[in-house]
């Protein structure tokens, strides 16, 4: 049953999953772990968050919940915006990047006092106050809001998409049986599976990156868990919007109607995680909360998770106040001990952040793009190429830490001069933390072996002969065309005489090279580039000409009706050295 093709791709069918309800745990966990490794490598991620409980009033009455409480005398139902900001700023100061808003479900529909307080706050609904609070936090702290307000109608999803980078709604369970009298969700309309699946579908229709998942141990059967996961899979297959699936274990809490109900066993939790890993595509992010399983972190990794969810260095888990978050360095240590490395992510996962134009509202897109790297992971420092700031302290130069066999093999091949294939190169670009340090160390060793301690440089002069260009590259602030009149500087074009003068001046000042590139001028042809080379070589015969972008070479050859090679030969004959890469 747990065949190899499960590791890299094929998802378990419903029948196959049901056949595993009473299977042996070991083989199941091993298959799930291999599937996770194939897609996520050595990375186990988490989000550094601050928890903002906007209101703890709720119209539902889940039998396991200690978060919600009725209105209390002399106590406001909602945090004020100042209180919300104070919490967010504490998180910002602690390096958090996620502002998690978790709150009760539309209490104004149950409590008059909640409705009255909302009006005093300038709102008719909790959800509209939530949207304002999230916007204020984002605008004033830069934290990215992740909203967990419970069941939502399509219009609510749309309204909150403009104030958040992702939303969360646990399916909890697909079992309508749990809504029957005496069951945990009886009297909680927002916990009915149909209501939750409708909200999850609305999030898909509106391209909202969504966190969902199931709560295990509240009376559902393993078959019902499989059906809940399949309901999520079906919606994700349709919309692709579920960014992570949480497998959360129920914990009995004092003061609730389920205070004396048994918690699910660790084995039961591990089974469910592994089944989820095998039901969803390997790339799916499967999460288990570390604070609800403090002594079993490595077992959870063995079962196939690749994420710990949001962990807060400043605020408690208000939903599970009895279970403190692990300290981040302790979590990193436990993750390393399981052969993985802890990597910070944002409230929106990398795969979705990389496609912000599809998944993120324009109101948040720019600030999101400013805080991610090319792979969609959060920038953990302010440095960027071209910045005058010093290189941040990072793992580079600290020797070669222990890494997995797969990566060691790739590095050994590279150091042996074997040309790496695309998959290997992509794998190297995905390295973080210790793996990043190992790649740097291997590159440094190769540099030393091939160049010794010498580091060379060339004395050169950049000559950009025109900034007039008829191309419209979105990232370019150099070119002057119809679309960029507002950008820096005036359109200009150097004469051949001026190009020659600058080359001669560079030579006289000790330069051995000129580096030349310009905009793609609508009047230029291949002949222009040849004349530029001749002008330089005429003025400074000994100087090396390092010139022309692939676009210029392409345009030059095309305007002369020449194939590339003869045009390149013509440039070389005119004095051009190897064209710029
Ligand atoms: S679990 Fe959520 S929906 Fe249920 S009572 Fe608590 S806050 Fe309300």
């Amino acid at each position: 049953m747990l065949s190899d093709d499960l590791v890299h791709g094929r998802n378990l069918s419903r029948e196959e999953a049901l056949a595993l309800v009473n299977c042996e745990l070991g083989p199941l966990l091993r298959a799930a772990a291999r599937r996770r490794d194939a897609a996520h490598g050595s990375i186990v991620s988490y989000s550094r968050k601050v928890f903002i409980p906007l209101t703890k009033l709720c119209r539902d009455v889940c039998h396991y919940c200690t978060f919600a409480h009725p209105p209390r005398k002399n106590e406001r139902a909602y945090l004020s915006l100042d209180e919300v900001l104070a919490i967010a700023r504490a998180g910002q100061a602690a390096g958090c990047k996620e502002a998690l808003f978790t709150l009760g479900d539309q209490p104004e529909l149950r409590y008059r006092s909640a409705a009255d307080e909302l009006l005093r706050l300038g709102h008719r609904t909790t959800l509209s106050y939530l949207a304002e609070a999230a916007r204020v936090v984002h605008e004033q702290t830069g934290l990215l809001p992740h909203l967990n307000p419970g069941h939502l109608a399509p219009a609510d999803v749309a309204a909150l998409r403009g104030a958040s980078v992702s939303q969360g709604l646990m399916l909890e369970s697909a079992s309508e049986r749990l809504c029957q009298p005496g069951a945990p969700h009886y009297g909680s309309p927002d916990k009915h599976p149909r209501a939750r699946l409708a909200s999850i579908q609305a999030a898909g229709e509106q391209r909202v990156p969504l966190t969902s998942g199931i709560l295990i141990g509240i009376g559902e059967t393993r078959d019902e868990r499989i059906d809940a996961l399949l309901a999520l899979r079906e919606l994700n297959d349709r919309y692709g919007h579920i960014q992570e699936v949480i497998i959360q274990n129920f914990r009995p809490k004092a003061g609730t109607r389920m205070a004396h109900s048994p918690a699910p066993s660790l084995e039961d939790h591990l089974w469910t995680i592994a089944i989820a890993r095998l039901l969803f595509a390997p790339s799916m992010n499967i999460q288990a909360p570390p604070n609800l399983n403090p002594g079993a972190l490595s077992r959870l990794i063995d079962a196939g998770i690749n994420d710990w969810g949001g962990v807060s260095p400043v605020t408690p888990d208000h939903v599970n106040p009895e279970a403190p978050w692990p300290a981040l360095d302790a979590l990193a240590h436990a993750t390393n001990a399981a052969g993985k490395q802890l990597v910070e992510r944002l409230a929106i996962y990398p795969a979705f952040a990389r496609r912000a134009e599809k998944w993120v509202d324009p109101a948040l897109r720019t600030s999101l793009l400013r805080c991610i790297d090319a792979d969609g992971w959060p920038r953990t420092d302010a440095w960027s190429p071209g910045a005058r700031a010093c290189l941040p302290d990072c793992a580079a130069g600290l020797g070669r830490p222990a890494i997995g066999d797969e990566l060691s093999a790739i590095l050994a091949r590279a150091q042996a001069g074997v040309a790496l294939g695309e998959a290997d190169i992509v794998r190297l670009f995905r390295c973080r933390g210790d793996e990043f340090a190992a790649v740097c160390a291997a590159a440094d060793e190769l540099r030393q072996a091939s160049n010794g301690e010498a580091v060379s440089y060339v004395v050169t002069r950049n000559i950009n002969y025109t900034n007039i260009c008829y191309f419209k590259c979105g990232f370019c602030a150099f070119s002057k065309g119809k679309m960029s009149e507002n950008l820096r500087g005036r359109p200009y074009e150097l004469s051949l005489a001026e190009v020659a003068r600058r080359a001669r001046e560079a030579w006289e000042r000790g330069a051995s090279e000129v580096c030349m590139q310009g905009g793609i001028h609508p009047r230029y042809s291949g002949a222009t580039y040849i004349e530029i080379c001749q002008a330089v070589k005429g003025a400074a015969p000994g100087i090396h000409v390092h010139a022309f972008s692939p676009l210029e070479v392409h345009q030059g050859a095309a305007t002369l009706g020449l194939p590339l090679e003869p045009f390149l030969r013509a440039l070389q004959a005119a004095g051009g050295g190897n064209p710029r890469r």
Side-chain angles (χ1 to χ4, degrees), residues 467-469 476-492:
N467 63 354
I468 297 168
C469 182
C476 182
F478 169 71
S479 74
K480 300 307 292 182
K482 296 243 170 319
M483 307 290 285
S484 52
E485 290 295 345
N486 62 326
L487 291 174
R488 67 174 187 231
R490 303 282 318 139
Y492 74 86

XYZ file of all heavy atoms in Angstrom, residues 467-469 476-492:
156
model
N 20.843 57.063 -22.449
C 19.814 56.450 -21.594
C 18.468 56.422 -22.319
O 17.455 56.086 -21.747
C 19.677 57.222 -20.274
C 19.217 58.654 -20.505
O 19.097 59.112 -21.637
N 18.976 59.373 -19.418
N 18.506 56.758 -23.595
C 17.273 56.719 -24.391
C 17.013 55.268 -24.796
O 17.922 54.585 -25.304
C 17.400 57.620 -25.635
C 17.594 59.088 -25.181
C 16.171 57.497 -26.535
C 18.014 60.033 -26.282
N 15.816 54.794 -24.534
C 15.559 53.367 -24.767
C 14.093 53.141 -25.116
O 13.214 53.722 -24.484
C 15.900 52.587 -23.489
S 15.669 50.817 -23.669
N 13.496 49.116 -14.385
C 14.577 50.008 -14.807
C 14.300 51.482 -14.492
O 13.256 52.016 -14.872
C 14.794 49.861 -16.315
S 16.164 50.905 -16.893
N 15.216 52.124 -13.785
C 15.114 53.566 -13.498
C 16.133 54.342 -14.328
O 16.246 55.559 -14.198
C 15.360 53.813 -12.009
N 16.865 53.642 -15.203
C 17.935 54.307 -16.000
C 17.355 54.862 -17.307
O 17.598 56.005 -17.667
C 19.027 53.282 -16.299
C 20.043 53.739 -17.313
C 20.964 54.730 -16.997
C 20.086 53.188 -18.590
C 21.904 55.166 -17.924
C 21.024 53.624 -19.535
C 21.932 54.616 -19.202
N 16.506 54.034 -17.979
C 16.085 54.381 -19.345
C 15.145 55.575 -19.384
O 14.364 55.810 -18.457
C 15.365 53.178 -19.976
O 14.075 53.080 -19.379
N 15.266 56.314 -20.455
C 14.373 57.456 -20.703
C 13.582 57.152 -21.961
O 14.121 57.143 -23.054
C 15.155 58.755 -20.890
C 16.004 59.161 -19.730
C 15.273 59.212 -18.428
C 14.256 60.322 -18.370
N 13.599 60.338 -17.020
N 12.361 56.841 -21.743
C 11.466 56.619 -22.893
C 10.165 57.320 -22.567
O 10.026 57.969 -21.528
N 9.173 57.176 -23.393
C 7.886 57.872 -23.210
C 7.321 57.569 -21.829
O 6.718 58.398 -21.172
C 6.881 57.397 -24.271
C 7.287 57.748 -25.708
C 6.245 58.696 -26.337
C 6.745 59.247 -27.672
N 8.191 59.612 -27.634
N 7.561 56.295 -21.331
C 6.911 55.867 -20.080
C 7.680 56.306 -18.848
O 7.238 56.066 -17.724
C 6.822 54.321 -20.064
C 6.175 53.716 -21.288
S 4.416 54.090 -21.296
C 3.898 52.914 -20.026
N 8.872 56.900 -19.036
C 9.691 57.121 -17.823
C 10.179 58.559 -17.727
O 11.212 58.827 -17.137
C 10.885 56.149 -17.861
O 11.528 56.291 -19.118
N 9.409 59.459 -18.306
C 9.809 60.874 -18.236
C 9.948 61.312 -16.783
O 10.774 62.119 -16.420
C 8.744 61.748 -18.930
C 8.713 61.583 -20.455
C 9.995 62.065 -21.126
O 10.773 62.781 -20.449
O 10.285 61.666 -22.268
N 9.116 60.690 -15.896
C 9.099 61.137 -14.486
C 10.289 60.594 -13.709
O 10.576 61.033 -12.606
C 7.805 60.647 -13.817
C 7.783 59.119 -13.827
O 8.288 58.503 -14.781
N 7.243 58.516 -12.784
N 10.990 59.623 -14.289
C 12.107 59.030 -13.532
C 13.339 59.924 -13.623
O 13.361 60.900 -14.374
C 12.406 57.635 -14.076
C 11.285 56.598 -13.778
C 11.595 55.269 -14.473
C 11.149 56.383 -12.270
N 14.410 59.501 -12.916
C 15.566 60.406 -12.691
C 16.223 60.841 -13.997
O 16.270 60.066 -14.965
C 16.603 59.700 -11.817
C 17.278 58.501 -12.498
C 18.396 57.946 -11.626
N 19.114 56.929 -12.370
C 19.355 55.710 -11.882
N 18.947 55.397 -10.684
N 20.004 54.819 -12.588
N 16.730 62.149 -14.028
C 17.618 62.601 -15.100
C 16.885 62.921 -16.396
O 15.706 62.632 -16.583
N 17.606 63.558 -17.304
C 17.089 63.959 -18.606
C 17.565 62.939 -19.654
O 18.602 62.288 -19.458
C 17.637 65.355 -18.995
C 17.346 66.464 -18.006
C 15.899 66.963 -18.120
N 15.500 67.078 -19.552
C 14.298 66.702 -20.002
N 13.440 66.156 -19.169
N 13.969 66.817 -21.269
N 16.836 62.799 -20.759
C 17.333 61.942 -21.836
C 18.655 62.519 -22.359
O 18.805 63.734 -22.437
C 16.244 62.007 -22.904
C 15.072 62.662 -22.277
C 15.559 63.454 -21.100
N 19.648 61.667 -22.637
C 20.907 62.174 -23.211
C 21.489 61.140 -24.168
O 21.099 59.965 -24.166
C 21.922 62.481 -22.100
C 22.542 61.258 -21.471
C 23.662 60.649 -22.033
C 21.986 60.672 -20.332
C 24.226 59.512 -21.478
C 22.541 59.524 -19.764
C 23.655 58.944 -20.335
O 24.192 57.804 -19.798
